[in-house]
């Protein structure tokens, strides 16, 4: 007969002397007021807690009414608690000079905690691309460790991939599968380039292409961008990636590509519509107006030449 361990024996003995109601009560989640000093932040928390106007407003609300929605924490083996959801509420309570915060205490595995942490933060109104990038990556890795397949780190421009976990992740997220793939690719950018994505200086699609460049090539690109005061278009990013995959990308090639004139950088002459509206019928298409002006200028130039003869 297989012998039971000491822990199993103790559990069995406890079951003899407690009712099912008592055992259920012991497992039930409870809300407690926990000292803020005993709550540590979630490791590698991908969402930034900003000291902005919204945070100051939240702190003022907490000062008047307290924290109305409990945070979620999990007990730490060495004692104390780890924040799972509620980092902003914790900071707001600190700013409001409160020493405790109401928390829902829940026993969670590492992977369960990651998934809840990500899901609770993805509902925020303002989220930076870098925050989504690392959050989706953390959640996908947690899902993989739970035994679910995931292939969202593959090339988003490649063939469509099929995996139940991919569909589940997309279904529980505000972004579709392809967009999630793009966000995860951003985690391969060097910090200065990722910062430029957060600042809106580099768009998502070119950023994804740049994420395939090795770190040294990304660094060379970033330096060139600084010297030339420019950012790559999607077409330029594709070209940079192609040269990189062919082993032909160096500082000279990067500079040559970045010095190419983009269509939206060509100098344009704009004429206020009210200055030319009297020459055209209402509703005349812009292309027709442009063609007519060009023809008029050509005729004017021809007459000027005739007069000079």
């Amino acid at each position: 007969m297989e012998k039971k361990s000491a822990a199993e024996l103790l559990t069995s003995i406890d079951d003899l002397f407690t009712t099912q109601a008592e055992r259920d009560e012991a497992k039930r989640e409870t809300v407690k007021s926990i000292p803020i000093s005993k709550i540590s932040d979630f490791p590698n928390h991908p969402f930034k807690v900003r000291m902005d106007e919204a945070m100051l407003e939240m702190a003022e609300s907490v000062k008047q009414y307290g924290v109305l929605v409990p945070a979620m924490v999990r007990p730490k083996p060495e004692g104390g608690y780890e924040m799972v959801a509620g980092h902003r509420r914790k900071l707001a309570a600190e700013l409001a000079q409160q020493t405790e915060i109401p928390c829902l205490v829940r026993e969670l595995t590492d992977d369960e905690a990651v998934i809840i942490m990500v899901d609770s933060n993805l509902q925020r109104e303002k989220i930076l691309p870098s925050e989504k990038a690392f959050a989706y990556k953390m959640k996908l890795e947690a899902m993989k460790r739970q035994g679910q397949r995931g292939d969202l780190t593959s090339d988003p421009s490649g063939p469509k991939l099929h995996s139940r976990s991919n569909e589940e992740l997309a279904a529980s997220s505000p972004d579709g599968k392809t967009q999630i793939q793009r966000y995860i690719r951003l985690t391969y950018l060097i910090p200065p380039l990722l910062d430029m994505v957060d600042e809106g200086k580099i768009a998502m699609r070119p950023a994804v292409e740049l994420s395939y460049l090795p770190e040294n090539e990304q660094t060379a690109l970033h330096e060139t961008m600084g010297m030339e005061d420019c950012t790559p278009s999607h077409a330029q990013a594709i070209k940079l990636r192609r040269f990189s995959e062919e082993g032909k990308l160096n500082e000279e090639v990067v500079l040559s590509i970045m010095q190419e004139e983009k269509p939206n950088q060509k100098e344009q002459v704009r004429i206020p519509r009210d200055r030319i509206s009297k020459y055209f019928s209402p509703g005349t298409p812009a292309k027709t107006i442009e063609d007519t002006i060009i023809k008029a200028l050509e005729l004017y130039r021809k007459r000027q030449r005739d007069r000079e003869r």
Side-chain angles (χ1 to χ4, degrees):
M1 180 182 295
E2 183 179 353
K3 293 184 178 180
K4 292 186 176 181
S5 66
E8 290 174 326
L9 284 172
L10 285 173
T11 302
S12 300
I13 293 171
D14 285 343
D15 288 346
L16 290 175
F17 294 99
T18 58
T19 65
Q20 183 62 46
E22 290 172 330
R23 291 193 293 274
D24 290 343
E25 180 64 28
K27 294 179 181 179
R28 186 171 297 143
E29 296 174 349
T30 56
V31 175
K32 301 178 180 178
S33 287
I34 298 177
I36 294 175
S37 60
K38 292 186 177 182
I39 305 173
S40 62
D41 292 338
F42 196 93
N44 301 316
H45 192 250
F47 298 94
K48 298 178 176 65
V49 180
R50 302 178 188 85
M51 182 64 73
D52 52 16
E53 186 176 346
M55 174 56 67
L56 296 177
E57 291 177 355
M58 180 183 290
E60 186 62 31
S61 174
V62 170
K63 185 180 294 185
Q64 293 186 42
Y65 309 108
V67 177
L68 301 179
V69 179
M72 181 182 291
V73 299
R74 63 170 182 160
K76 296 167 65 175
E78 67 274 19
Y81 301 86
E82 181 180 278
M83 183 67 76
V84 177
H87 290 78
R88 285 173 53 78
R89 278 164 279 177
K90 177 187 170 187
L91 177 56
E94 290 176 318
L95 293 173
Q97 298 182 335
Q98 297 196 6
T99 58
E100 296 184 341
I101 182 174
C103 297
L104 180 67
V105 181
R106 182 181 294 183
E107 293 283 352
L108 297 168
T109 65
D110 290 347
D111 294 333
E112 289 171 342
V114 165
I115 291 172
I116 291 175
M117 179 274 295
V118 171
D119 287 347
S120 64
N121 281 281
L122 283 176
Q123 308 308 317
R124 284 161 45 181
E125 184 177 349
K126 295 181 180 179
I127 306 177
L128 295 174
S130 63
E131 294 176 323
K132 279 192 175 185
F134 286 102
Y136 281 137
K137 186 175 185 179
M138 289 178 70
K139 183 176 179 180
L140 182 61
E141 290 173 349
M143 293 172 67
K144 283 182 177 180
R145 288 191 294 267
Q146 288 183 329
Q148 299 171 311
R149 285 186 56 226
D151 47 23
L152 283 170
T153 52
S154 59
D155 187 345
S157 61
K160 298 299 181 183
L161 302 169
H162 300 281
S163 164
R164 186 179 62 163
S165 63
N166 288 353
E167 302 300 335
E168 289 178 351
L169 178 53
S172 63
S173 306
D175 298 292
K177 186 171 73 173
T178 299
Q179 188 69 355
I180 291 174
Q181 291 174 358
R182 292 179 178 139
Y183 276 118
I184 293 177
R185 280 303 318 175
L186 297 183
T187 63
Y188 295 91
L189 290 172
I190 61 174
L193 291 183
L194 187 55
D195 288 342
M196 296 184 76
V197 177
D198 282 343
E199 294 163 4
K201 296 177 180 178
I202 301 179
M204 172 69 79
R205 296 183 69 186
V208 168
E209 299 295 336
L210 299 179
S211 72
Y212 289 93
L213 304 183
E215 184 174 328
N216 64 311
E217 293 178 356
Q218 291 188 39
T219 300
L221 170 63
H222 181 255
E223 292 173 354
T224 302
M225 289 163 56
M227 291 185 297
E228 296 295 312
D229 191 24
C230 62
T231 56
S233 65
H234 188 212
Q236 286 174 319
I238 291 173
K239 189 177 293 187
L240 288 164
R241 178 183 173 185
R242 186 175 71 247
F243 273 90
S244 176
E245 291 173 344
E246 294 173 355
K248 300 177 181 178
L249 191 63
N250 54 40
E251 292 181 1
E252 290 74 20
V253 174
V254 170
L255 179 60
S256 175
I257 293 174
M258 294 307 298
Q259 286 180 337
E260 294 175 352
E261 186 178 56
K262 302 183 185 72
N264 61 356
Q265 289 179 330
K266 294 178 180 178
E267 187 175 354
Q268 297 182 2
V269 177
R270 299 183 181 276
I271 304 175
R273 198 175 184 103
D274 58 355
R275 294 193 63 186
I276 58 175
S277 59
K278 63 181 179 181
Y279 301 107
F280 300 95
S281 302
T284 303
K287 185 65 169 59
T288 301
I289 294 175
E290 181 182 335
D291 291 342
T292 303
I293 292 174
I294 294 299
K295 288 179 181 179
L297 289 172
E298 289 174 349
L299 180 58
Y300 173 79
R301 186 177 182 183
K302 182 177 181 301
R303 288 182 176 175
Q304 288 294 99
R305 285 177 178 174
D306 289 342
R307 289 179 182 177
E308 292 173 358
R309 288 177 183 173

